[in-house]
Amino acid sequence: MTEIQTESKRDGATAPVGPTAGADALPHERLHERHGLGLTLFGGGARAAYQVGVLKGLANSHPDLDVPFITGISAGAINAAHLSSQKGTFAERTASLAELWNAIDVDRVFETQGLPLLYRTLCIGMRLAIGWAPTLDPMLGMVDSSPLSRFLEQALGGRELDGIEANLASGSLKAVALVALKYSTSQTISFCMGQEIIDWERPLRRSQRERLTVDHILASAALPLFFPPVQIDGEWYGDGGIRLTAPLAPVIHLGADRLLAISTRYRPTGREADQRRFDGPPRAAQIFGSLMGATFLDVLDQDAYQLDRINSLLEKLPPEKRGALRPLRSLLIRPSADIARLANDFEPRLPGTFRFLTRRWGTRKSRSQELLSTILFQEDYVKLLMEIGERDGVAHADALSALLDETPVTR
């Protein structure tokens, strides 16, 4: 796939064209200063384990792959932060990331004890239904995510991600960004270390130079209502994918001229897409699953599709008429299996109270589990996703080689 980053001129200033990452070009004078492969890891909750498998599969044939620009959005922030903070070759860093996910389980992501889990869920439900007593502190999430905070601190060697600074100093990493939503202003914030984001500022999106910590990972991955928002410097932040319609944009603005993106959305055939996923009226699991799919899974494919269309239009123009346009080449890897349908096989193994609650939402009525696959941090399900991802990564090794061998397009 070939994708393009574009811009238009309006009143002597640059202005975006359309809603895609390709609509935001860097200033002409900065184009040749910034280059390298950019990796975008988007969301999907537990489905982010698939990304780990893909990276491990790619590392089999590209053990010394140079990835100087990395962005993490939603659950992809966990993978992005780990890759950015570890030492060694690409193969060594991906192997270390796989070890992290091999050790993960539901109990290490959120509190699963019966009474506390029931209490928090009921409080959220009552708050949504009838409000909340003004004298009581609000309940911020259905689950307590402090186990994930402790797990990440242990896996990453502390709350401060010192390894990122070391990799920036050595030159093996040029820039990393973790994306979160600032609830008080509804702005998408890219927390950056290293090379600054160029021409990224818009009314509803901002970049912020910050020393990244585990809190920034938790903020980016805080699924709305399910995980509690995270407070950073007095402001509350949530999942970075909530309103980010162009997930490829951050890594482009960090300076990448080639893109590698890993989607966690299976691309069905026409016949598969026409199959009913449940019978009868939709329940909460189906409705919320559709909302989460549209928010966290669909947008990456849509962004890549729009960029591809822009590229097709640009090919019809001679170079001298393209203005300040920036061609980009990319590779988008998707799951070869419907990982939402596979989640059904693992639902019975969930902790008892959590399984009881998800079934009340209607998960047992679904044949494709968009919601459950997002929160199913079950050890055996995670390992299956990594196995599928590794096979897909191996299958795309030649495509990655072709992407890396291409000569960047310049004006």
Side-chain angles (χ1 to χ4, degrees):
M1 183 191 307
T2 304
E3 295 163 355
I4 299 296
Q5 185 177 356
T6 73
E7 71 174 9
S8 69
K9 296 288 185 177
R10 182 174 62 195
D11 299 329
T14 60
V17 182
T20 69
D24 303 312
L26 299 181
H28 181 277
E29 64 273 12
R30 298 299 301 275
L31 287 177
H32 302 291
E33 298 178 19
R34 310 159 70 80
H35 61 279
L37 178 66
L39 174 63
T40 293
L41 299 170
F42 198 35
R47 299 161 73 119
Y50 170 78
Q51 299 172 345
V52 182
V54 171
L55 293 170
K56 190 176 179 182
L58 293 174
N60 289 337
S61 56
H62 296 81
D64 298 312
L65 182 66
D66 182 23
V67 188
F69 303 102
I70 302 177
T71 60
I73 305 157
S74 190
I78 298 173
N79 298 335
H82 190 278
L83 285 175
S84 301
S85 61
Q86 297 302 299
K87 296 179 181 179
T89 65
F90 179 71
E92 291 168 339
R93 286 182 286 137
T94 55
S96 176
L97 180 58
E99 289 178 6
L100 182 150
W101 279 88
N102 279 325
I104 209 165
D105 201 354
V106 177
D107 293 330
R108 289 189 165 184
V109 177
F110 52 84
E111 182 61 61
T112 59
Q113 291 185 6
L115 289 179
L117 182 59
L118 280 173
Y119 173 73
R120 294 181 70 92
T121 303
L122 288 173
C123 286
I124 288 291
M126 293 292 289
R127 182 171 178 81
L128 291 174
I130 61 174
W132 192 261
T135 57
L136 298 177
D137 291 333
M139 187 62 64
L140 299 178
M142 290 184 183
V143 300
D144 177 3
S145 60
S146 57
L148 179 59
S149 178
R150 293 191 294 269
F151 176 68
L152 290 177
E153 278 191 48
Q154 182 180 10
L156 296 171
R159 204 150 195 87
E160 301 284 338
L161 305 182
D162 296 329
I164 294 180
E165 191 168 27
N167 287 333
L168 289 170
S170 69
S172 61
L173 181 69
K174 291 184 179 179
V176 58
L178 304 182
V179 182
L181 178 72
K182 186 176 181 179
Y183 277 118
S184 63
T185 62
S186 292
Q187 292 174 310
T188 296
I189 307 297
S190 288
F191 295 107
C192 308
M193 285 186 70
Q195 202 158 273
E196 65 178 323
I197 285 188
I198 299 296
D199 194 33
W200 168 258
E201 310 304 312
R202 302 286 189 275
L204 289 179
R205 73 183 197 198
R206 293 281 184 267
S207 61
Q208 186 171 320
R209 302 296 292 273
E210 192 98 9
R211 184 179 178 84
L212 297 176
T213 68
V214 168
D215 285 338
H216 295 92
I217 303 174
L218 296 172
S220 183
L223 288 169
L225 294 181
F226 190 74
F227 288 117
V230 176
Q231 192 173 33
I232 300 175
D233 296 330
E235 294 286 350
W236 291 96
Y237 294 89
D239 199 295
I242 292 176
R243 67 179 310 161
L244 183 62
T245 58
L248 296 176
V251 77
I252 292 172
H253 287 269
L254 285 177
D257 61 8
R258 293 182 181 88
L259 307 180
L260 171 61
I262 305 173
S263 173
T264 59
R265 162 71 88 187
Y266 172 69
R267 187 176 186 175
T269 64
R271 184 175 181 179
E272 289 173 327
D274 288 338
Q275 294 177 354
R276 296 175 63 88
R277 299 185 176 187
F278 58 91
D279 298 316
R283 300 196 179 190
Q286 290 89 44
I287 295 173
F288 196 44
S290 294
L291 290 173
M292 295 186 73
T295 303
F296 302 110
L297 303 177
D298 294 345
V299 290
L300 181 58
D301 282 0
Q302 183 63 22
D303 198 20
Y305 173 71
Q306 293 287 4
L307 288 170
D308 198 42
R309 294 185 65 186
I310 293 172
N311 182 53
S312 297
L313 293 174
L314 287 174
E315 288 177 353
K316 302 180 187 302
L317 291 175
E320 64 273 12
K321 292 188 177 181
R322 294 178 184 176
L325 303 181
R326 183 188 179 205
L328 293 172
R329 295 183 175 91
S330 72
L331 172 62
L332 175 62
I333 301 177
R334 302 181 182 88
S336 58
D338 189 343
I339 57 182
R341 286 186 178 273
L342 294 175
N344 278 319
D345 297 334
F346 299 88
E347 185 270 350
R349 306 174 203 176
L350 283 169
T353 302
F354 187 61
R355 184 176 66 249
F356 170 82
L357 291 172
T358 59
R359 289 182 177 181
R360 302 290 77 73
W361 301 339
T363 54
R364 293 290 285 177
K365 303 295 183 180
S366 296
R367 290 183 284 274
S368 183
Q369 299 282 3
E370 295 288 4
L371 172 61
L372 190 61
S373 65
T374 304
I375 58 178
L376 190 63
F377 290 91
Q378 191 75 9
E379 181 181 5
D380 41 9
Y381 179 66
V382 165
K383 289 184 178 179
L384 176 62
L385 296 191
M386 291 173 61
E387 291 172 3
I388 296 172
E390 186 167 1
R391 290 197 298 267
D392 292 349
V394 171
H396 284 82
D398 290 343
L400 179 59
S401 295
L403 175 69
L404 298 173
D405 289 343
E406 289 280 2
T407 302
V409 180
T410 58
R411 291 190 294 277

